[in-house]
Amino acid sequence: MTRAARTHLSRSSEGFVKKVIFNPMFPFDPKVYPFNIPSVLAIPSIDFHPKVTFMVGENGSGKSTIVEGIAVRAGFSAEGGTKNFNFSTKNSESRLHNHIEIVRGPYREEMGFFLRAESFYNFATEIDKIDEDVSNKYINSYGGVSLHEQSHGESFMAVIENRFQPRGLFILDEPEAALSPQRQIELLRLIHEYAGNQGSQFIIATHSPILMAYPHSTIYKLNQDGLQQVEYEKTEHYLVTLDFLENVNMYRKILFDNRLIDQEPQ
């Protein structure tokens, strides 16, 4: 590694986003989304790991809403892409970004990407539209093949492999929705390549016990009381998955009629 590369890496190792503060000064209605989510009102601020921060919790806990708010406040489209990728098929994002203040580190990221499973179809469609309007084949920067002409998981990985770069800020919303377990392990390798070795920072909302196994990270659990830092082995995702895999037959007996399991199809 050259001296310049080492300097860049040491500078970015402090993290590009150090903290977000939820600012209650602007008027809001606590009965209206997203302020009717208990965790949103209960969290005063979030400190971020310089490499990887995971936001976990049950459905409806607010993790994706908070990650979206951070992404929009940081300059990304609510539907995903780089900061230069501005499009909207439907103005569905919450107003939370108006109530967020981002505390930056001393250095800025060299690029960034907001990748979310929920709106990936819309994002892929916009890529195809742009590709039709430019002469130098915009799709080449995403691997050269339309994202719609690949499986969901393949297209997700094509974005990560082609658009993620060193010293970047990457915000991911439930990427496991598109990825098989094997692909999630591959994503772990890429996260370490970028965050561990090339000075990038990741903020990830996830349910995946595979992804949250990344060691150089902070895991936050969201619930109605707000935010709680939790160790990997104490997350519900890890404990429930481990218990299920170690006691599959017990769960079968609890969940299903034993006769339906034991009998051959007629």
Side-chain angles (χ1 to χ4, degrees), residues 27-38 40-41 65 94-96 99:
F28 64 88
D29 186 344
K31 297 180 181 179
V32 175
Y33 174 81
F35 307 104
N36 59 353
I37 300 174
V40 171
L41 289 180
T65 299
S94 77
R95 294 177 293 164
L96 184 60
H99 298 259

Side-chain angles (χ1 to χ4, degrees), residues 209-257:
I210 294 176
L211 293 183
M212 66 180 73
Y214 186 69
H216 310 295
S217 66
T218 295
I219 303 175
Y220 288 120
K221 174 184 176 182
L222 277 74
N223 55 36
Q224 61 181 6
D225 297 321
L227 196 73
Q228 175 188 3
Q229 186 172 340
V230 61
E231 296 178 8
Y232 171 64
E233 290 82 2
K234 294 183 179 179
T235 62
E236 292 180 6
H237 308 73
Y238 173 86
L239 292 171
V240 171
T241 302
L242 180 65
D243 187 61
F244 182 86
L245 293 176
E246 291 183 341
N247 301 282
V248 171
N249 288 330
M250 180 193 72
Y251 277 93
R252 285 173 172 169
K253 291 179 181 179
I254 293 173
L255 297 172
F256 311 115
D257 186 331

Side-chain angles (χ1 to χ4, degrees), residues 117-167:
E118 178 181 321
S119 56
F120 191 76
Y121 180 91
N122 299 338
F123 169 77
T125 300
E126 188 68 15
I127 291 292
D128 283 350
K129 289 180 180 179
I130 295 174
D131 193 54
E132 293 174 356
D133 296 333
V134 297
S135 58
N136 59 346
K137 298 301 289 181
Y138 186 71
I139 195 62
N140 288 342
S141 62
Y142 287 86
V145 179
S146 169
L147 300 177
H148 279 309
E149 295 177 6
Q150 305 174 63
S151 72
H152 199 185
E154 288 173 330
S155 58
F156 241 62
M157 293 303 291
V159 171
I160 294 168
E161 291 170 350
N162 289 282
R163 298 298 293 166
F164 285 22
Q165 298 176 12
R167 296 177 294 280

Side-chain angles (χ1 to χ4, degrees), residues 23-119:
N23 187 348
M25 297 299 292
F26 294 100
F28 64 88
D29 186 344
K31 297 180 181 179
V32 175
Y33 174 81
F35 307 104
N36 59 353
I37 300 174
S39 64
V40 171
L41 289 180
I43 299 173
S45 63
I46 304 173
D47 294 306
F48 290 94
H49 192 284
K51 295 183 182 295
V52 181
T53 301
F54 292 106
M55 311 287 287
V56 307
E58 270 299 329
N59 294 329
S61 63
K63 61 186 181 301
S64 290
T65 299
I66 290 174
V67 164
E68 176 196 80
I70 295 169
V72 173
R73 187 63 175 174
F76 297 98
S77 165
E79 295 187 59
T82 65
K83 291 184 180 181
N84 295 325
F85 200 80
N86 296 315
F87 81 107
S88 178
T89 57
K90 183 178 181 180
N91 187 20
S92 59
E93 68 269 20
S94 77
R95 294 177 293 164
L96 184 60
H97 60 277
N98 294 323
H99 298 259
I100 289 177
E101 177 186 349
I102 294 180
V103 179
R104 290 276 189 169
Y107 304 100
R108 287 299 182 101
E109 65 271 15
E110 295 185 6
M111 69 88 62
F113 208 100
F114 180 32
L115 183 61
R116 63 187 319 188
E118 178 181 321
S119 56

